[in-house]
PDB file of all heavy atoms in Angstrom:
ATOM      1  N   SER A   1       0.845  -1.190  -0.013  1.00 96.00           N
ATOM      2  CA  SER A   1      -0.002  -0.004   0.010  1.00 96.00           C
ATOM      3  C   SER A   1       0.878   1.259   0.001  1.00 96.00           C
ATOM      4  O   SER A   1       2.102   1.161  -0.061  1.00 96.00           O
ATOM      5  CB  SER A   1      -0.938  -0.003   1.213  1.00 96.00           C
ATOM      6  OG  SER A   1      -1.957   0.978   1.042  1.00 96.00           O
ATOM      7  N   VAL A   2       0.219   2.416   0.072  1.00 98.00           N
ATOM      8  CA  VAL A   2       0.970   3.671   0.024  1.00 98.00           C
ATOM      9  C   VAL A   2       1.460   4.035   1.420  1.00 98.00           C
ATOM     10  O   VAL A   2       1.276   5.167   1.918  1.00 98.00           O
ATOM     11  CB  VAL A   2       0.102   4.807  -0.574  1.00 98.00           C
ATOM     12  CG1 VAL A   2      -0.037   4.648  -2.063  1.00 98.00           C
ATOM     13  CG2 VAL A   2      -1.287   4.855   0.086  1.00 98.00           C
ATOM     14  N   VAL A   3       2.048   3.067   2.104  1.00 97.00           N
ATOM     15  CA  VAL A   3       2.524   3.208   3.480  1.00 97.00           C
ATOM     16  C   VAL A   3       4.018   2.930   3.542  1.00 97.00           C
ATOM     17  O   VAL A   3       4.644   2.605   2.537  1.00 97.00           O
ATOM     18  CB  VAL A   3       1.752   2.277   4.434  1.00 97.00           C
ATOM     19  CG1 VAL A   3       0.259   2.560   4.411  1.00 97.00           C
ATOM     20  CG2 VAL A   3       2.008   0.798   4.050  1.00 97.00           C
ATOM     21  N   GLY A   4       4.588   3.042   4.749  1.00 96.00           N
ATOM     22  CA  GLY A   4       5.984   2.723   4.944  1.00 96.00           C
ATOM     23  C   GLY A   4       6.892   3.918   4.714  1.00 96.00           C
ATOM     24  O   GLY A   4       6.437   5.039   4.417  1.00 96.00           O
ATOM     25  N   PRO A   5       8.199   3.717   4.867  1.00 97.00           N
ATOM     26  CA  PRO A   5       9.146   4.802   4.680  1.00 97.00           C
ATOM     27  C   PRO A   5       9.269   5.196   3.197  1.00 97.00           C
ATOM     28  O   PRO A   5       9.011   4.391   2.303  1.00 97.00           O
ATOM     29  CB  PRO A   5      10.457   4.199   5.224  1.00 97.00           C
ATOM     30  CG  PRO A   5      10.317   2.731   4.994  1.00 97.00           C
ATOM     31  CD  PRO A   5       8.856   2.440   5.220  1.00 97.00           C
ATOM     32  N   HIS A   6       9.695   6.425   2.954  1.00 98.00           N
ATOM     33  CA  HIS A   6      10.010   6.874   1.609  1.00 98.00           C
ATOM     34  C   HIS A   6      11.077   5.958   1.023  1.00 98.00           C
ATOM     35  O   HIS A   6      12.001   5.558   1.710  1.00 98.00           O
ATOM     36  CB  HIS A   6      10.538   8.313   1.679  1.00 98.00           C
ATOM     37  CG  HIS A   6      10.993   8.883   0.382  1.00 98.00           C
ATOM     38  ND1 HIS A   6      10.122   9.225  -0.617  1.00 98.00           N
ATOM     39  CD2 HIS A   6      12.231   9.133  -0.111  1.00 98.00           C
ATOM     40  CE1 HIS A   6      10.784   9.689  -1.657  1.00 98.00           C
ATOM     41  NE2 HIS A   6      12.082   9.650  -1.356  1.00 98.00           N
ATOM     42  N   PRO A   7      10.952   5.536  -0.250  1.00 98.00           N
ATOM     43  CA  PRO A   7      10.059   6.040  -1.312  1.00 98.00           C
ATOM     44  C   PRO A   7       8.780   5.258  -1.513  1.00 98.00           C
ATOM     45  O   PRO A   7       8.089   5.479  -2.507  1.00 98.00           O
ATOM     46  CB  PRO A   7      10.963   5.933  -2.556  1.00 98.00           C
ATOM     47  CG  PRO A   7      11.690   4.649  -2.323  1.00 98.00           C
ATOM     48  CD  PRO A   7      11.995   4.617  -0.833  1.00 98.00           C
ATOM     49  N   PHE A   8       8.428   4.312  -0.614  1.00 98.00           N
ATOM     50  CA  PHE A   8       7.276   3.435  -0.878  1.00 98.00           C
ATOM     51  C   PHE A   8       5.965   4.177  -1.136  1.00 98.00           C
ATOM     52  O   PHE A   8       5.262   3.861  -2.107  1.00 98.00           O
ATOM     53  CB  PHE A   8       7.105   2.423   0.249  1.00 98.00           C
ATOM     54  CG  PHE A   8       8.115   1.293   0.200  1.00 98.00           C
ATOM     55  CD1 PHE A   8       9.082   1.161   1.173  1.00 98.00           C
ATOM     56  CD2 PHE A   8       8.064   0.348  -0.807  1.00 98.00           C
ATOM     57  CE1 PHE A   8       9.998   0.128   1.149  1.00 98.00           C
ATOM     58  CE2 PHE A   8       8.987  -0.691  -0.860  1.00 98.00           C
ATOM     59  CZ  PHE A   8       9.958  -0.825   0.115  1.00 98.00           C
ATOM     60  N   PRO A   9       5.538   5.138  -0.303  1.00 98.00           N
ATOM     61  CA  PRO A   9       4.240   5.767  -0.558  1.00 98.00           C
ATOM     62  C   PRO A   9       4.154   6.428  -1.921  1.00 98.00           C
ATOM     63  O   PRO A   9       3.115   6.339  -2.618  1.00 98.00           O
ATOM     64  CB  PRO A   9       4.116   6.816   0.577  1.00 98.00           C
ATOM     65  CG  PRO A   9       4.984   6.251   1.681  1.00 98.00           C
ATOM     66  CD  PRO A   9       6.119   5.617   0.969  1.00 98.00           C
ATOM     67  N   TRP A  10       5.224   7.096  -2.304  1.00 98.00           N
ATOM     68  CA  TRP A  10       5.262   7.746  -3.612  1.00 98.00           C
ATOM     69  C   TRP A  10       5.288   6.721  -4.745  1.00 98.00           C
ATOM     70  O   TRP A  10       4.550   6.816  -5.728  1.00 98.00           O
ATOM     71  CB  TRP A  10       6.492   8.672  -3.669  1.00 98.00           C
ATOM     72  CG  TRP A  10       6.832   9.229  -5.020  1.00 98.00           C
ATOM     73  CD1 TRP A  10       5.994   9.802  -5.903  1.00 98.00           C
ATOM     74  CD2 TRP A  10       8.140   9.241  -5.592  1.00 98.00           C
ATOM     75  NE1 TRP A  10       6.702  10.203  -7.017  1.00 98.00           N
ATOM     76  CE2 TRP A  10       8.014   9.879  -6.850  1.00 98.00           C
ATOM     77  CE3 TRP A  10       9.413   8.836  -5.174  1.00 98.00           C
ATOM     78  CZ2 TRP A  10       9.100  10.071  -7.703  1.00 98.00           C
ATOM     79  CZ3 TRP A  10      10.496   9.050  -6.008  1.00 98.00           C
ATOM     80  CH2 TRP A  10      10.341   9.665  -7.266  1.00 98.00           C
ATOM     81  N   MET A  11       6.141   5.708  -4.604  1.00 98.00           N
ATOM     82  CA  MET A  11       6.313   4.699  -5.650  1.00 98.00           C
ATOM     83  C   MET A  11       5.020   3.909  -5.885  1.00 98.00           C
ATOM     84  O   MET A  11       4.608   3.719  -7.037  1.00 98.00           O
ATOM     85  CB  MET A  11       7.443   3.743  -5.246  1.00 98.00           C
ATOM     86  CG  MET A  11       7.793   2.720  -6.283  1.00 98.00           C
ATOM     87  SD  MET A  11       9.299   1.820  -5.806  1.00 98.00           S
ATOM     88  CE  MET A  11       8.750   0.952  -4.355  1.00 98.00           C
ATOM     89  N   VAL A  12       4.376   3.489  -4.807  1.00 98.00           N
ATOM     90  CA  VAL A  12       3.133   2.719  -4.943  1.00 98.00           C
ATOM     91  C   VAL A  12       2.041   3.591  -5.556  1.00 98.00           C
ATOM     92  O   VAL A  12       1.267   3.139  -6.392  1.00 98.00           O
ATOM     93  CB  VAL A  12       2.686   2.118  -3.594  1.00 98.00           C
ATOM     94  CG1 VAL A  12       1.344   1.418  -3.719  1.00 98.00           C
ATOM     95  CG2 VAL A  12       3.739   1.151  -3.072  1.00 98.00           C
ATOM     96  N   ARG A  13       1.994   4.877  -5.161  1.00 98.00           N
ATOM     97  CA  ARG A  13       1.024   5.796  -5.783  1.00 98.00           C
ATOM     98  C   ARG A  13       1.242   5.886  -7.300  1.00 98.00           C
ATOM     99  O   ARG A  13       0.295   5.861  -8.086  1.00 98.00           O
ATOM    100  CB  ARG A  13       1.129   7.183  -5.147  1.00 98.00           C
ATOM    101  CG  ARG A  13       0.175   8.194  -5.794  1.00 98.00           C
ATOM    102  CD  ARG A  13       0.949   9.251  -6.587  1.00 98.00           C
ATOM    103  NE  ARG A  13       1.397  10.295  -5.674  1.00 98.00           N
ATOM    104  CZ  ARG A  13       2.243  11.283  -6.066  1.00 98.00           C
ATOM    105  NH1 ARG A  13       2.711  11.329  -7.304  1.00 98.00           N
ATOM    106  NH2 ARG A  13       2.619  12.205  -5.191  1.00 98.00           N
ATOM    107  N   GLU A  14       2.492   5.970  -7.704  1.00 98.00           N
ATOM    108  CA  GLU A  14       2.789   6.076  -9.136  1.00 98.00           C
ATOM    109  C   GLU A  14       2.347   4.835  -9.885  1.00 98.00           C
ATOM    110  O   GLU A  14       1.865   4.926 -11.018  1.00 98.00           O
ATOM    111  CB  GLU A  14       4.284   6.345  -9.359  1.00 98.00           C
ATOM    112  CG  GLU A  14       4.726   7.738  -8.905  1.00 98.00           C
ATOM    113  CD  GLU A  14       4.030   8.830  -9.713  1.00 98.00           C
ATOM    114  OE1 GLU A  14       4.348   9.003 -10.907  1.00 98.00           O
ATOM    115  OE2 GLU A  14       3.161   9.528  -9.123  1.00 98.00           O
ATOM    116  N   PHE A  15       2.498   3.682  -9.281  1.00 98.00           N
ATOM    117  CA  PHE A  15       2.056   2.443  -9.928  1.00 98.00           C
ATOM    118  C   PHE A  15       0.534   2.301  -9.921  1.00 98.00           C
ATOM    119  O   PHE A  15      -0.029   1.672 -10.835  1.00 98.00           O
ATOM    120  CB  PHE A  15       2.697   1.201  -9.282  1.00 98.00           C
ATOM    121  CG  PHE A  15       4.156   1.021  -9.609  1.00 98.00           C
ATOM    122  CD1 PHE A  15       5.068   0.759  -8.589  1.00 98.00           C
ATOM    123  CD2 PHE A  15       4.632   1.107 -10.893  1.00 98.00           C
ATOM    124  CE1 PHE A  15       6.424   0.590  -8.872  1.00 98.00           C
ATOM    125  CE2 PHE A  15       5.969   0.924 -11.201  1.00 98.00           C
ATOM    126  CZ  PHE A  15       6.884   0.658 -10.185  1.00 98.00           C
ATOM    127  N   GLN A  16      -0.135   2.854  -8.924  1.00 98.00           N
ATOM    128  CA  GLN A  16      -1.588   2.703  -8.806  1.00 98.00           C
ATOM    129  C   GLN A  16      -2.391   3.802  -9.496  1.00 98.00           C
ATOM    130  O   GLN A  16      -3.557   3.614  -9.796  1.00 98.00           O
ATOM    131  CB  GLN A  16      -2.001   2.619  -7.339  1.00 98.00           C
ATOM    132  CG  GLN A  16      -1.630   1.345  -6.609  1.00 98.00           C
ATOM    133  CD  GLN A  16      -2.384   0.118  -7.109  1.00 98.00           C
ATOM    134  OE1 GLN A  16      -3.195   0.191  -8.010  1.00 98.00           O
ATOM    135  NE2 GLN A  16      -2.127  -1.026  -6.477  1.00 98.00           N
ATOM    136  N   LYS A  17      -1.769   4.961  -9.814  1.00 98.00           N
ATOM    137  CA  LYS A  17      -2.563   6.047 -10.372  1.00 98.00           C
ATOM    138  C   LYS A  17      -3.062   5.757 -11.766  1.00 98.00           C
ATOM    139  O   LYS A  17      -3.829   6.529 -12.333  1.00 98.00           O
ATOM    140  CB  LYS A  17      -1.765   7.352 -10.331  1.00 98.00           C
ATOM    141  CG  LYS A  17      -0.616   7.439 -11.335  1.00 98.00           C
ATOM    142  CD  LYS A  17       0.059   8.822 -11.259  1.00 98.00           C
ATOM    143  CE  LYS A  17       1.141   8.927 -12.328  1.00 98.00           C
ATOM    144  NZ  LYS A  17       1.825  10.230 -12.279  1.00 98.00           N
ATOM    145  N   VAL A  18      -2.646   4.627 -12.329  1.00 98.00           N
ATOM    146  CA  VAL A  18      -3.210   4.193 -13.630  1.00 98.00           C
ATOM    147  C   VAL A  18      -4.744   4.093 -13.539  1.00 98.00           C
ATOM    148  O   VAL A  18      -5.426   4.289 -14.529  1.00 98.00           O
ATOM    149  CB  VAL A  18      -2.562   2.838 -14.043  1.00 98.00           C
ATOM    150  CG1 VAL A  18      -2.916   1.711 -13.073  1.00 98.00           C
ATOM    151  CG2 VAL A  18      -2.995   2.461 -15.460  1.00 98.00           C
ATOM    152  N   ILE A  19      -5.255   3.806 -12.340  1.00 99.00           N
ATOM    153  CA  ILE A  19      -6.726   3.687 -12.176  1.00 99.00           C
ATOM    154  C   ILE A  19      -7.396   5.009 -12.493  1.00 99.00           C
ATOM    155  O   ILE A  19      -8.325   5.082 -13.310  1.00 99.00           O
ATOM    156  CB  ILE A  19      -7.065   3.239 -10.745  1.00 99.00           C
ATOM    157  CG1 ILE A  19      -6.354   1.936 -10.371  1.00 99.00           C
ATOM    158  CG2 ILE A  19      -8.591   3.098 -10.575  1.00 99.00           C
ATOM    159  CD1 ILE A  19      -6.491   1.579  -8.881  1.00 99.00           C
ATOM    160  N   GLY A  20      -6.944   6.083 -11.844  1.00 98.00           N
ATOM    161  CA  GLY A  20      -7.530   7.399 -12.080  1.00 98.00           C
ATOM    162  C   GLY A  20      -7.216   7.953 -13.431  1.00 98.00           C
ATOM    163  O   GLY A  20      -8.056   8.647 -14.053  1.00 98.00           O
ATOM    164  N   ASP A  21      -6.007   7.681 -13.928  1.00 98.00           N
ATOM    165  CA  ASP A  21      -5.647   8.144 -15.271  1.00 98.00           C
ATOM    166  C   ASP A  21      -6.603   7.522 -16.307  1.00 98.00           C
ATOM    167  O   ASP A  21      -7.043   8.220 -17.227  1.00 98.00           O
ATOM    168  CB  ASP A  21      -4.198   7.767 -15.598  1.00 98.00           C
ATOM    169  CG  ASP A  21      -3.165   8.624 -14.898  1.00 98.00           C
ATOM    170  OD1 ASP A  21      -3.531   9.740 -14.434  1.00 98.00           O
ATOM    171  OD2 ASP A  21      -2.011   8.175 -14.785  1.00 98.00           O
ATOM    172  N   GLU A  22      -6.861   6.235 -16.174  1.00 98.00           N
ATOM    173  CA  GLU A  22      -7.790   5.584 -17.082  1.00 98.00           C
ATOM    174  C   GLU A  22      -9.190   6.163 -16.958  1.00 98.00           C
ATOM    175  O   GLU A  22      -9.867   6.379 -17.987  1.00 98.00           O
ATOM    176  CB  GLU A  22      -7.884   4.078 -16.769  1.00 98.00           C
ATOM    177  CG  GLU A  22      -6.736   3.252 -17.281  1.00 98.00           C
ATOM    178  CD  GLU A  22      -6.877   1.781 -16.919  1.00 98.00           C
ATOM    179  OE1 GLU A  22      -7.920   1.388 -16.380  1.00 98.00           O
ATOM    180  OE2 GLU A  22      -5.925   1.036 -17.186  1.00 98.00           O
ATOM    181  N   LEU A  23      -9.636   6.429 -15.738  1.00 98.00           N
ATOM    182  CA  LEU A  23     -10.975   6.979 -15.544  1.00 98.00           C
ATOM    183  C   LEU A  23     -11.072   8.339 -16.232  1.00 98.00           C
ATOM    184  O   LEU A  23     -12.087   8.659 -16.882  1.00 98.00           O
ATOM    185  CB  LEU A  23     -11.306   7.106 -14.064  1.00 98.00           C
ATOM    186  CG  LEU A  23     -12.699   7.632 -13.729  1.00 98.00           C
ATOM    187  CD1 LEU A  23     -13.798   6.726 -14.313  1.00 98.00           C
ATOM    188  CD2 LEU A  23     -12.870   7.745 -12.200  1.00 98.00           C
ATOM    189  N   LYS A  24     -10.043   9.155 -16.138  1.00 98.00           N
ATOM    190  CA  LYS A  24     -10.038  10.456 -16.845  1.00 98.00           C
ATOM    191  C   LYS A  24     -10.165  10.248 -18.354  1.00 98.00           C
ATOM    192  O   LYS A  24     -10.914  10.953 -19.043  1.00 98.00           O
ATOM    193  CB  LYS A  24      -8.774  11.245 -16.508  1.00 98.00           C
ATOM    194  CG  LYS A  24      -8.816  11.946 -15.166  1.00 98.00           C
ATOM    195  CD  LYS A  24      -7.911  13.152 -15.137  1.00 98.00           C
ATOM    196  CE  LYS A  24      -8.334  14.089 -14.035  1.00 98.00           C
ATOM    197  NZ  LYS A  24      -7.557  15.347 -14.020  1.00 98.00           N
ATOM    198  N   ASP A  25      -9.423   9.269 -18.890  1.00 98.00           N
ATOM    199  CA  ASP A  25      -9.503   8.966 -20.305  1.00 98.00           C
ATOM    200  C   ASP A  25     -10.891   8.481 -20.683  1.00 98.00           C
ATOM    201  O   ASP A  25     -11.410   8.807 -21.784  1.00 98.00           O
ATOM    202  CB  ASP A  25      -8.459   7.921 -20.701  1.00 98.00           C
ATOM    203  CG  ASP A  25      -7.017   8.430 -20.653  1.00 98.00           C
ATOM    204  OD1 ASP A  25      -6.852   9.685 -20.630  1.00 98.00           O
ATOM    205  OD2 ASP A  25      -6.091   7.614 -20.597  1.00 98.00           O
ATOM    206  N   GLN A  26     -11.497   7.686 -19.820  1.00 98.00           N
ATOM    207  CA  GLN A  26     -12.840   7.149 -20.102  1.00 98.00           C
ATOM    208  C   GLN A  26     -13.897   8.246 -20.095  1.00 98.00           C
ATOM    209  O   GLN A  26     -14.831   8.200 -20.879  1.00 98.00           O
ATOM    210  CB  GLN A  26     -13.158   6.004 -19.110  1.00 98.00           C
ATOM    211  CG  GLN A  26     -12.346   4.753 -19.391  1.00 98.00           C
ATOM    212  CD  GLN A  26     -12.297   3.772 -18.251  1.00 98.00           C
ATOM    213  OE1 GLN A  26     -12.316   4.159 -17.066  1.00 98.00           O
ATOM    214  NE2 GLN A  26     -12.212   2.485 -18.545  1.00 98.00           N
ATOM    215  N   VAL A  27     -13.714   9.220 -19.197  1.00 98.00           N
ATOM    216  CA  VAL A  27     -14.615  10.389 -19.210  1.00 98.00           C
ATOM    217  C   VAL A  27     -14.433  11.170 -20.494  1.00 98.00           C
ATOM    218  O   VAL A  27     -15.390  11.541 -21.185  1.00 98.00           O
ATOM    219  CB  VAL A  27     -14.358  11.276 -17.964  1.00 98.00           C
ATOM    220  CG1 VAL A  27     -15.107  12.620 -18.106  1.00 98.00           C
ATOM    221  CG2 VAL A  27     -14.788  10.567 -16.688  1.00 98.00           C
ATOM    222  N   ALA A  28     -13.179  11.431 -20.845  1.00 98.00           N
ATOM    223  CA  ALA A  28     -12.871  12.198 -22.052  1.00 98.00           C
ATOM    224  C   ALA A  28     -13.376  11.487 -23.308  1.00 98.00           C
ATOM    225  O   ALA A  28     -13.781  12.134 -24.284  1.00 98.00           O
ATOM    226  CB  ALA A  28     -11.377  12.452 -22.152  1.00 98.00           C
ATOM    227  N   GLY A  29     -13.370  10.149 -23.287  1.00 98.00           N
ATOM    228  CA  GLY A  29     -13.820   9.370 -24.426  1.00 98.00           C
ATOM    229  C   GLY A  29     -15.318   9.162 -24.499  1.00 98.00           C
ATOM    230  O   GLY A  29     -15.801   8.499 -25.401  1.00 98.00           O
ATOM    231  N   GLY A  30     -16.030   9.704 -23.528  1.00 98.00           N
ATOM    232  CA  GLY A  30     -17.476   9.605 -23.534  1.00 98.00           C
ATOM    233  C   GLY A  30     -18.047   8.317 -22.958  1.00 98.00           C
ATOM    234  O   GLY A  30     -19.271   8.045 -23.114  1.00 98.00           O
ATOM    235  N   ASP A  31     -17.231   7.525 -22.265  1.00 98.00           N
ATOM    236  CA  ASP A  31     -17.715   6.275 -21.668  1.00 98.00           C
ATOM    237  C   ASP A  31     -18.648   6.548 -20.515  1.00 98.00           C
ATOM    238  O   ASP A  31     -19.500   5.690 -20.177  1.00 98.00           O
ATOM    239  CB  ASP A  31     -16.552   5.420 -21.198  1.00 98.00           C
ATOM    240  CG  ASP A  31     -15.685   4.898 -22.323  1.00 98.00           C
ATOM    241  OD1 ASP A  31     -16.097   5.073 -23.501  1.00 98.00           O
ATOM    242  OD2 ASP A  31     -14.614   4.333 -22.046  1.00 98.00           O
ATOM    243  N   LEU A  32     -18.500   7.682 -19.842  1.00 98.00           N
ATOM    244  CA  LEU A  32     -19.374   8.062 -18.720  1.00 98.00           C
ATOM    245  C   LEU A  32     -19.343   9.563 -18.622  1.00 98.00           C
ATOM    246  O   LEU A  32     -18.410  10.244 -19.106  1.00 98.00           O
ATOM    247  CB  LEU A  32     -18.932   7.406 -17.418  1.00 98.00           C
ATOM    248  CG  LEU A  32     -17.674   7.972 -16.710  1.00 98.00           C
ATOM    249  CD1 LEU A  32     -17.721   7.526 -15.235  1.00 98.00           C
ATOM    250  CD2 LEU A  32     -16.380   7.514 -17.361  1.00 98.00           C
ATOM    251  N   PRO A  33     -20.378  10.150 -17.957  1.00 98.00           N
ATOM    252  CA  PRO A  33     -20.350  11.590 -17.702  1.00 98.00           C
ATOM    253  C   PRO A  33     -19.236  11.963 -16.699  1.00 98.00           C
ATOM    254  O   PRO A  33     -18.735  11.132 -15.983  1.00 98.00           O
ATOM    255  CB  PRO A  33     -21.735  11.885 -17.104  1.00 98.00           C
ATOM    256  CG  PRO A  33     -22.540  10.667 -17.370  1.00 98.00           C
ATOM    257  CD  PRO A  33     -21.588   9.523 -17.447  1.00 98.00           C
ATOM    258  N   SER A  34     -18.883  13.245 -16.665  1.00 98.00           N
ATOM    259  CA  SER A  34     -17.920  13.686 -15.671  1.00 98.00           C
ATOM    260  C   SER A  34     -18.470  13.422 -14.279  1.00 98.00           C
ATOM    261  O   SER A  34     -19.619  13.824 -13.972  1.00 98.00           O
ATOM    262  CB  SER A  34     -17.636  15.185 -15.836  1.00 98.00           C
ATOM    263  OG  SER A  34     -16.984  15.443 -17.052  1.00 98.00           O
ATOM    264  N   PRO A  35     -17.713  12.771 -13.409  1.00 98.00           N
ATOM    265  CA  PRO A  35     -18.251  12.445 -12.085  1.00 98.00           C
ATOM    266  C   PRO A  35     -18.344  13.689 -11.178  1.00 98.00           C
ATOM    267  O   PRO A  35     -17.503  14.585 -11.245  1.00 98.00           O
ATOM    268  CB  PRO A  35     -17.220  11.450 -11.539  1.00 98.00           C
ATOM    269  CG  PRO A  35     -15.962  11.713 -12.269  1.00 98.00           C
ATOM    270  CD  PRO A  35     -16.376  12.195 -13.646  1.00 98.00           C
ATOM    271  N   ASP A  36     -19.380  13.714 -10.373  1.00 98.00           N
ATOM    272  CA  ASP A  36     -19.497  14.718  -9.314  1.00 98.00           C
ATOM    273  C   ASP A  36     -18.770  14.251  -8.053  1.00 98.00           C
ATOM    274  O   ASP A  36     -18.275  15.084  -7.303  1.00 98.00           O
ATOM    275  CB  ASP A  36     -20.971  14.963  -9.003  1.00 98.00           C
ATOM    276  CG  ASP A  36     -21.761  15.455 -10.209  1.00 98.00           C
ATOM    277  OD1 ASP A  36     -21.388  16.520 -10.755  1.00 98.00           O
ATOM    278  OD2 ASP A  36     -22.725  14.789 -10.596  1.00 98.00           O
ATOM    279  N   VAL A  37     -18.817  12.937  -7.822  1.00 98.00           N
ATOM    280  CA  VAL A  37     -18.242  12.351  -6.617  1.00 98.00           C
ATOM    281  C   VAL A  37     -17.502  11.054  -6.990  1.00 98.00           C
ATOM    282  O   VAL A  37     -18.009  10.271  -7.769  1.00 98.00           O
ATOM    283  CB  VAL A  37     -19.311  12.017  -5.557  1.00 98.00           C
ATOM    284  CG1 VAL A  37     -18.667  11.534  -4.257  1.00 98.00           C
ATOM    285  CG2 VAL A  37     -20.202  13.232  -5.282  1.00 98.00           C
ATOM    286  N   ILE A  38     -16.300  10.849  -6.421  1.00 99.00           N
ATOM    287  CA  ILE A  38     -15.556   9.609  -6.568  1.00 99.00           C
ATOM    288  C   ILE A  38     -15.340   9.051  -5.161  1.00 99.00           C
ATOM    289  O   ILE A  38     -14.863   9.767  -4.271  1.00 99.00           O
ATOM    290  CB  ILE A  38     -14.227   9.814  -7.277  1.00 99.00           C
ATOM    291  CG1 ILE A  38     -14.461  10.360  -8.710  1.00 99.00           C
ATOM    292  CG2 ILE A  38     -13.439   8.514  -7.367  1.00 99.00           C
ATOM    293  CD1 ILE A  38     -13.189  10.738  -9.441  1.00 99.00           C
TER     294      ILE A  38
END
């Protein structure tokens, strides 16, 4: 998880942010409306 001593929190975030990056692309591509709440 995004826990532990540096650099783990930053490194794990970088590997996991693919989730939100994809969601942004899916919104831009018209797969869903822009979310009000996540």
Side-chain angles (χ1 to χ4, degrees):
S1 195
V2 286
V3 300
H6 176 71
F8 283 112
W10 169 47
M11 184 172 66
V12 176
R13 178 249 276 172
E14 290 298 288
F15 287 132
Q16 288 292 2
K17 72 177 184 181
V18 65
I19 304 170
D21 286 340
E22 281 180 7
L23 182 59
K24 280 206 159 185
D25 289 343
Q26 288 163 327
V27 170
D31 293 351
L32 75 160
S34 294
D36 300 301
V37 185
I38 299 174

